[in-house]
Structure formats: structure tokens, C-alpha cells
Amino acid sequence: MLTNNNKFTVDVVHMVFTIFSFMQASQQSTHSPFSIRHSLSSPFILLFLIVFISGTSKSEELETDVLEDQWPVFAAQLSDDILAHCQSNKCHMNVIDANTLVSLMSEHDLALDLKEALALSEYEVLISSAVLFSSYPSLSKDTLEQEASSILRLEITTSWRGIPIDDFNIEQSISGQDYSAEQTNALTNTAFIMLSQWIDRAKEEDILAAEKIYAQLGASNYFEQLKLPERIGDFVKFEQGLYHDPMQGSITRYVHPDYEDAIVDISVYPVSPFVHREKSLEDSVTNEMLIEKSQIQALIEHANIKDFMISDIQTTKLNLGNRQLPALAMEVALETSIDPVYSTQFLFTQHDKFVKLTGNLPKSMMLALVQDSLSDIEVPDESEFMRAMRQK
């Protein structure tokens, strides 16, 4: 999985060499037990220059934000089966409110790691609760053998943008004694034990990994279907990561064995029918690069950077066997007190996806690397998810 063992240094050269698309990978601390194959933000480098000017690392900003933001945890309605059961059996429904749920989860040793992982994308945890006073068919044999007269049931659904990606139902006797409305401590103590089991399971089964979202939606399986070279010139494949949004796809990093700050990234992501609505594939490439250029210009303006160069978007032909592949290229140069520093990106399409190669080299040097890699790049076909999106 993608990690950043030493959080991004506030150094101009390193910031320019470090692609903005890996910014969010640095935000997850390396000791976290939850997956960090999370949403790597919109690709390019120059936001780090804003970080340099402000003197604040992006990792520090995230840590503050995570602590201040609310947990995306909500009390929810019970399942239809439990509601039906409670119509003919004694139950206390919705016995734990959202504030209590958050308070209990916050007591777990992994609470901050879980909160960070939830904050990295648009997750929600929906938890319904009920105290059952008679046996329910789904209760486990072990639970029933405890011969408790009151059972706490929690139904926990983890969703992404309203799409369920994991369900976990759990029951347990309430501290081995009868339950009454006054037994708040017995109820919350039992709930804490059950929520702790869910948190441990979330870690063990990696339910917040981006792959879970892709599998649930029927999006491309980049880890299995994307074929990329192991080397590009002297650059060696380092690691591959996924954005938590399937519309943003995959990013793979290559590093140089002799120059630790030298980086080449390959990003592969579907052509969005929403951003590039009713455009031909050729027009979509142009539109995508215009969006990139506009974002870079806005970042430079916001950072009040004066000494820079952004090239025009240039049309080029890449040699692929006995044919030529049309592509677009753009180069950014920033003047420093030592030497200019560069970032160049090439953009083209394969199947229904954009392929973008970005590196900290002048265009002429980056072109050689793009040509070297081209024959070894094979992207997944259109996924069921994207086919459905394009039919809307």
C-alpha cells in the first residue's frame, strides 16, 4: 500500500518533485492500521508551493481537521426483519443515540485512526440498536446459550456516498443481567464491547479500502487488470494506489534508484461522461488538459508566484509499433535560486480511459520515458460501472 515514511519536507525541490496527486497519501500516518489506498487528490504538483509559502504542512492541516470534524456516525432505522419481530415481541428500539455511539467509539484505542480513515472519503456509518427480550432467529447459538433475558442488537452499515459497502449485525447479552431503561451503564458497557468488535473487524477486513468501493460498484479492477512496465528508463516501479472515487482511478509511482526525489507517475482513470459530456474522445483529451492547466494557473495565482512558465498545450504523436498515438503535452517550469525545476505531463487515451504520465523532467527528457513505457501500458476495458454511468 502507498505510504509516506517521512512526511513531505518543506523544501522547494522536493515539493516540485512530489506530485500533488500523492498529497492525500501523505496525510495518513504510516502507523495507521487502516488502509491508505484512499482518494489521492486531483493530480499535479503545485499545491505544495502554497504549503511552502504558508509554512504549514498539509499533513498537519489534516490532523487538525480530523480532530475538529464530526464523526460520520449516525443512528439509523432498524432492519425490516427486526421491526417485524418487535411488532409481536417485547423490544426497546433505538436505545442508543448517535452522540453516545460516537462517544463509545472514541474510547477505542484505534479511534483516531478510524476517524482519519472515515474522513478520507465520503463514508458514513449507520448504526441501529434494539434491546430484544425474546429470542430472535438470527441470534447465534452462543448468544442464546447465555440464557440472557435481554439481548442488545446492533446493525452496522458502512456506506460510501450512500452506497452500502459492508453490513455487520451483532448481538450480545447485556452484562449478563436483565435490562431495564434505568440500566444505562449496563447498556453502554455492552455497546462498547460490540462496537470494539466492529472496529477490530474493520481493521482486519480492511472495509475502508478503496477496493471495496470498486468491487461493490463494478468498477475496473486496476490491481488485477492494469498492466504497466516494471521499469521506465532508469525509473523503477515503486507502488500502486487507488483513489476512493472510481471516477479517479489508479495512480502508480516510479522512483529513481539514484535520485530519491525523482518521480514519474502514471495515472489511469475513466473519461467522465459528466465532465466531458457529449464530447468526442479527442475533444475530451483537450478539455481534460485545459482543466489541468486552469487548476495550475489558479494555484500559482493563489500562491502569488511570479517566476514561472506554463507552456501551451502541445499536440504530439507517440510511436506505438507501426502506428502513431495522438497525445497532448504540457510543461511547467519554476525558477529557483539554484536551477529551474520542471514538471511535465503527457495525456492520451486507451479504451475508455485517460492515461497520464507526469514527471519532474523537462518535456524532451520526459518524452523519452513516455515512449519507453508506451508498449507496456494496457488498461482495463470499460467497466460495468462506467457503462452504466454513460447510459444515464
Side-chain angles (χ1 to χ4, degrees):
M1 62 179 63
L2 288 168
T3 77
N4 186 355
N5 293 322
N6 49 359
K7 292 181 180 178
F8 290 118
T9 307
V10 183
D11 173 89
V12 173
V13 176
H14 190 75
M15 285 188 292
V16 172
F17 285 168
T18 306
I19 306 304
F20 175 33
S21 53
F22 274 80
M23 185 177 69
Q24 287 186 329
S26 73
Q27 293 172 345
Q28 180 87 348
S29 58
T30 57
H31 67 272
S32 173
F34 293 92
S35 171
I36 63 167
R37 284 177 180 155
H38 54 269
S39 58
L40 309 173
S41 198
S42 173
F44 220 67
I45 58 171
L46 293 177
L47 187 63
F48 280 103
L49 297 175
I50 297 175
V51 175
F52 172 74
I53 290 171
S54 68
T56 303
S57 81
K58 203 63 185 171
S59 299
E60 292 169 352
E61 288 181 7
L62 175 77
E63 186 174 343
T64 300
D65 291 342
V66 167
L67 292 175
E68 291 178 351
D69 289 346
Q70 297 295 315
W71 284 74
V73 175
F74 306 94
Q77 180 172 306
L78 290 157
S79 64
D80 290 343
D81 288 346
I82 294 296
L83 290 175
H85 172 80
C86 291
Q87 286 182 351
S88 55
N89 296 274
K90 182 182 178 182
C91 299
H92 286 173
M93 296 186 289
N94 307 316
V95 292
I96 308 177
D97 61 29
N99 290 335
T100 302
L101 290 167
V102 168
S103 177
L104 293 173
M105 293 172 73
S106 299
E107 296 176 15
H108 195 280
D109 291 342
L110 299 179
L112 288 179
D113 296 309
L114 174 62
K115 190 174 183 181
E116 282 188 14
L118 290 170
L120 289 169
S121 193
E122 299 169 59
Y123 285 109
E124 289 183 341
V125 181
L126 309 177
I127 306 177
S128 57
S129 59
V131 174
L132 312 179
F133 293 92
S134 59
S135 62
Y136 178 70
S138 73
L139 295 181
S140 68
K141 184 175 183 293
D142 290 341
T143 301
L144 293 175
E145 285 178 350
Q146 296 176 43
E147 297 181 353
S149 59
S150 53
I151 299 292
L152 175 62
R153 178 181 173 93
L154 298 182
E155 299 177 335
I156 306 174
T157 297
T158 305
S159 65
W160 177 81
R161 294 185 181 175
I163 302 167
I165 59 172
D166 182 78
D167 288 305
F168 183 61
N169 299 329
I170 183 172
E171 307 93 358
Q172 185 162 319
S173 62
I174 300 177
S175 300
Q177 58 181 298
D178 291 342
Y179 166 79
S180 66
E182 289 75 27
Q183 291 176 334
T184 304
N185 289 340
L187 180 67
T188 55
N189 289 342
T190 304
F192 174 74
I193 294 170
M194 298 166 71
L195 290 170
S196 295
Q197 293 180 46
W198 173 76
I199 293 173
D200 293 339
R201 175 180 172 275
K203 179 192 73 172
E204 292 167 4
E205 299 192 9
D206 215 5
I207 67 172
L208 300 180
E211 297 97 302
K212 298 287 187 180
I213 299 172
Y214 285 54
Q216 185 70 20
L217 295 179
S220 294
N221 185 339
Y222 290 94
F223 289 114
E224 297 293 333
Q225 300 170 339
L226 175 61
K227 308 301 180 185
L228 296 174
E230 292 300 315
R231 299 181 65 95
I232 305 176
D234 292 331
F235 287 79
V236 180
K237 188 177 179 181
F238 173 64
E239 192 58 274
Q240 180 180 0
L242 289 178
Y243 293 83
H244 269 67
D245 184 349
M247 298 298 295
Q248 296 179 332
S250 168
I251 184 167
T252 303
R253 172 152 292 183
Y254 293 78
V255 297
H256 198 285
D258 299 323
Y259 304 98
E260 63 178 357
D261 291 327
I263 291 170
V264 172
D265 288 337
I266 300 180
S267 300
V268 180
Y269 54 103
V271 177
S272 170
F274 310 111
V275 177
H276 309 290
R277 189 180 298 276
E278 297 180 357
K279 287 183 172 62
S280 67
L281 208 55
E282 182 179 354
D283 289 342
S284 295
V285 176
T286 301
N287 191 47
E288 183 73 4
M289 194 66 104
L290 286 171
I291 292 171
E292 290 280 339
K293 185 172 184 178
S294 176
Q295 290 174 342
I296 294 168
Q297 289 171 327
L299 290 169
I300 289 175
E301 181 179 347
H302 182 76
N304 198 28
I305 298 170
K306 304 298 183 184
D307 206 355
F308 69 94
M309 182 280 297
I310 303 179
S311 74
D312 293 332
I313 297 172
Q314 302 159 353
T315 303
T316 186
K317 298 288 186 181
L318 303 174
N319 295 319
L320 181 58
N322 58 0
R323 68 185 182 92
Q324 290 191 315
L325 180 69
L328 296 180
M330 180 173 60
E331 180 185 66
V332 179
L334 301 171
E335 295 293 337
T336 72
S337 58
I338 305 173
D339 293 305
V341 289
Y342 295 90
S343 181
T344 301
Q345 63 178 279
F346 283 78
L347 180 69
F348 56 92
T349 60
Q350 190 179 124
H351 300 317
D352 71 318
K353 294 175 176 62
F354 290 121
V355 180
K356 182 185 299 178
L357 286 88
T358 309
N360 56 285
L361 299 168
K363 180 190 172 188
S364 57
M365 298 176 67
M366 189 63 189
L367 176 59
L369 294 177
V370 173
Q371 285 290 176
D372 185 60
S373 65
L374 206 57
S375 61
D376 294 319
I377 297 175
E378 183 179 341
V379 310
D381 290 330
E382 182 183 42
S383 66
E384 294 180 6
F385 168 67
M386 287 309 305
R387 194 175 301 115
M389 290 298 100
R390 294 186 175 107
Q391 291 173 353
K392 287 188 175 182

